[in-house]
Amino acid sequence: MTIEWATENTAGIRKAITRVQQIARSYDMSLDTITEQTIDLVLSPDRPEPAHTRRA
């Protein structure tokens, strides 16, 4: 998710999130807090820009 976010690939972000959630469901497990926070970050409409796009 972080890699897709850094490359600004919205479709890739959603695909990665869907896959992580499918795997968690298939093993009947919860996502850890950091994964949930990352999902919230990359899906947030007011998320920060990836580091490589910031201007100094």
Side-chain angles (χ1 to χ4, degrees):
M1 291 177 290
T2 304
I3 292 169
E4 298 296 355
W5 173 59
T7 61
E8 301 180 46
N9 181 359
T10 304
I13 292 169
R14 295 190 183 284
K15 185 175 179 179
I17 291 169
T18 299
R19 185 68 180 132
V20 166
Q21 291 171 332
Q22 287 172 342
I23 292 168
R25 277 193 301 274
S26 70
Y27 288 102
D28 194 27
M29 55 188 258
S30 299
L31 299 176
D32 66 1
T33 303
I34 293 173
T35 302
E36 292 286 357
Q37 290 172 345
T38 302
I39 290 170
D40 291 343
L41 173 69
V42 300
L43 292 180
S44 174
D46 58 334
R47 68 182 179 264
E49 292 181 3
H52 76 280
T53 63
R54 291 187 197 138
R55 296 185 179 165

